[in-house]
């Protein structure tokens, strides 16, 4: 397990989160003008998984359950020696008595599902918890319940021999400034690692997937890439134990280029015990989805877009990226 965790954050590589739920992916397709039906996602995945050279930058792909169960799609990744992961939470639902807050479900029967995923060749798993910033939010109850679920997910995944990617996402939605994001992310991660310790998990055999410490989407006070990188590193240093092999960021609604810049800047600053990598969904596959438009004649263009983002993020792993490379 420790070997898989290390391989996922091998130098120059990162993870692609191709695990949007059917509901989410239909929305993403709609947003870029694709009139999607239930076959669209399988077609899109096939086009992108076939991208030549993807394995040079992408160590692992997180799949939605249906995609893991699709032998053709799964085998494309196997043939490229790309590790297969699976999203195992069943989504975030409203938290009773706490309007605006969410709790992720999916622990019931998880041990059996994990065993099945392993038999299908999965090597790692992901669980996403959602923390919302707002008036009187997040509550201690929301953080407490979500980190407890994350800890059980982590322990169960490790019991089955799957590397857990632990994702406590503090959402970028809202008017809050970066200081508030810093405070909430710090509290969430501190609580999370306290809980993981209590649950006796193996910190060497997991990865953390956090948000960038970032101003809210609707905050009038936007901060620089530098401040985002600095504050994110400060929070991680104060909360994440050295044993964790890697931190793989989610993009959270940042543009592709901004997300790449944050990872790049953090790697330039360096001085941290963990690998700083990526596990993006939108920031990796978003541009490809836009050019694809569900048309066969756009296959190559979509693959080029994905490969470009994968390559830019790979460069960011060593701090070797700069924005001018986008136009080369
Ligand atoms: P984004 O990079 O689009 O935030 O998605 C990452 C992810 O896996 C969310 O669960």
């Amino acid at each position: 397990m420790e070997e898989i965790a290390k391989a996922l954050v091998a130098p120059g590589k990162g993870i692609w989160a191709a695990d949007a739920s059917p509901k989410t992916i239909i929305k993403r397709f709609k947003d870029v003008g694709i009139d999607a039906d239930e076959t669209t996602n399988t077609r899109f995945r096939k086009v992108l998984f076939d991208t030549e050279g993807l394995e040079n930058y992408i160590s692992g792909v997180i799949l939605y359950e249906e995609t893991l169960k699709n032998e053709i799609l799964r085998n494309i990744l196997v043939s490229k020696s790309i590790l297969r992961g699976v999203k195992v939470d069943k989504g975030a639902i409203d938290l009773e008595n706490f309007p605006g807050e969410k709790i992720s479900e999916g622990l019931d029967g998880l041990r059996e599902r994990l065993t099945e995923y392993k038999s299908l060749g999965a090597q790692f798993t992901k669980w996403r918890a959602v923390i919302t910033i707002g008036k009187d939010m997040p509550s201690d109850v929301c953080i407490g319940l979500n980190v407890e679920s994350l800890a059980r997910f982590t322990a169960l995944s490790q019991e089955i021999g799957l590397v857990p990617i632990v994702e406590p996402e503090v959402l970028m939605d809202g008017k809050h400034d970066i200081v508030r994001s810093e405070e909430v992310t710090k509290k969430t991660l501190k609580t999370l690692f306290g809980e993981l310790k209590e649950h006796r998990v193996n910190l060497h055999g997991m990865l953390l997937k956090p948000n960038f410490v970032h101003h809210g989407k609707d905050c009038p006070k936007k901060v620089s890439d530098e401040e985002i990188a600095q504050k994110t590193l400060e929070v991680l240093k104060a909360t994440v134990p050295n044993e964790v092999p890697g931190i793989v960021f989610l993009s959270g609604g940042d543009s592709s280029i901004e997300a790449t810049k944050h990872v790049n800047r953090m790697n330039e600053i360096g001085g941290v015990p963990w690998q700083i990598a990526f596990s993006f969904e939108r920031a990796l596959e978003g541009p490809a989805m836009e050019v694809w438009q569900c048309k066969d004649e756009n296959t190559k263009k979509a693959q080029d877009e994905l490969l470009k983002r994968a390559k830019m993020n790979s460069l960011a792993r060593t701090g070797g990226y700069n924005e001018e490379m986008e136009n080369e």
Side-chain angles (χ1 to χ4, degrees):
M1 243 170 12
E2 295 176 13
E3 289 310 310
I4 300 264
K6 276 195 206 139
L8 285 168
V9 290
K13 292 198 180 175
I15 298 166
W16 169 22
D19 62 338
S21 66
K23 203 172 127 206
T24 304
I25 200 76
I26 296 265
K27 184 186 171 302
R28 300 250 198 273
F29 283 133
K30 270 217 173 79
D31 288 347
V32 297
I34 298 173
D35 190 15
D37 62 29
E38 60 280 5
T39 64
T40 315
N41 192 32
T42 309
R43 281 184 60 195
F44 184 55
R45 297 293 157 217
K46 169 89 173 68
V47 165
L48 295 191
F49 288 7
D50 275 335
T51 302
E52 213 173 301
L54 192 62
E55 64 278 14
N56 296 327
Y57 313 115
I58 298 294
S59 53
V61 179
I62 313 174
L63 307 168
Y64 195 73
E65 186 178 14
E66 267 83 2
T67 316
L68 178 70
K69 289 182 174 168
N70 181 319
E71 203 178 338
I72 296 174
L73 292 176
R74 206 169 66 218
N75 284 341
I76 301 174
L77 300 177
V78 174
S79 72
K80 293 173 187 282
S81 302
I82 292 177
L83 300 168
R84 282 83 55 208
V86 55
K87 168 191 169 76
V88 305
D89 66 84
K90 293 271 186 192
I93 58 155
D94 291 340
L95 177 58
E96 57 282 4
N97 288 343
F98 294 84
E101 299 200 274
K102 303 268 184 200
I103 174 74
S104 298
E105 290 192 310
L107 287 171
D108 286 355
L110 182 57
R111 184 180 268 131
E112 290 71 28
R113 282 198 291 132
L114 293 173
T115 307
E116 186 194 357
Y117 300 148
K118 183 134 200 260
S119 75
L120 292 169
Q123 291 132 320
F124 66 102
T125 52
K126 180 192 102 170
W127 181 291
R128 173 174 179 253
V130 178
I131 308 291
T132 310
I133 299 182
K135 190 173 174 314
D136 301 325
M137 291 194 285
S139 63
D140 289 347
V141 170
C142 176
I143 294 180
L145 285 175
N146 274 298
V147 302
E148 191 178 326
S149 298
L150 282 166
R152 284 210 59 211
F153 146 77
T154 305
L156 278 165
S157 292
Q158 292 185 335
E159 179 188 284
I160 306 295
L162 295 162
V163 172
I165 297 189
V166 183
E167 180 179 9
E169 176 174 4
V170 176
L171 293 178
M172 220 187 271
D173 299 340
K175 291 190 187 140
H176 56 272
D177 61 12
I178 192 167
V179 177
R180 183 84 178 110
S181 167
E182 182 181 21
E183 196 178 277
V184 173
T185 306
K186 193 185 267 179
K187 180 170 175 179
T188 303
L189 293 180
K190 226 184 181 67
T191 317
L192 170 69
F193 281 102
E195 194 77 14
L196 290 174
K197 203 166 159 222
E198 298 250 329
H199 284 244
R200 305 176 179 172
V201 312
N202 172 8
L203 295 173
H204 295 278
M206 62 161 275
L207 297 173
L208 175 69
K209 176 163 175 169
N211 49 285
F212 301 119
V213 172
H214 203 291
H215 53 265
K217 260 200 304 231
D218 302 319
C219 175
K221 203 171 145 229
K222 314 268 186 255
V223 300
S224 65
D225 176 51
E226 181 64 28
E227 193 169 343
I228 290 167
Q230 294 275 4
K231 282 215 161 36
T232 305
L233 283 180
E234 273 167 35
V235 167
L236 296 176
K237 280 191 210 163
T239 53
V240 184
N242 292 358
E243 295 94 314
V244 175
I247 311 238
V248 294
F249 283 95
L250 61 97
S251 56
D254 249 344
S255 75
S256 299
I257 295 179
E258 282 168 61
T260 307
K261 277 164 70 178
H262 302 331
V263 172
N264 187 67
R265 186 66 196 124
M266 280 186 258
N267 277 306
E268 260 176 359
I269 298 168
V272 290
W274 344 270
Q275 296 292 315
I276 298 279
F278 56 92
S279 173
F280 300 151
E281 179 208 325
R282 283 163 286 181
L284 260 174
E285 67 181 38
M289 189 187 283
E290 257 184 88
V291 301
W292 179 55
Q293 288 300 317
C294 203
K295 295 195 174 112
D296 288 342
E297 66 262 33
N298 293 336
T299 293
K300 176 79 172 66
K301 273 195 219 157
Q303 293 176 338
D304 287 348
E305 286 295 330
L306 177 68
L307 198 67
K308 178 178 175 186
R309 291 282 21 108
K311 186 174 175 195
M312 295 296 137
N313 286 303
S314 165
L315 290 165
R317 290 280 280 106
T318 53
Y321 164 84
N322 79 59
E323 214 176 328
E324 282 155 26
M325 293 171 170
E326 298 286 346
N327 306 316
E328 279 167 12

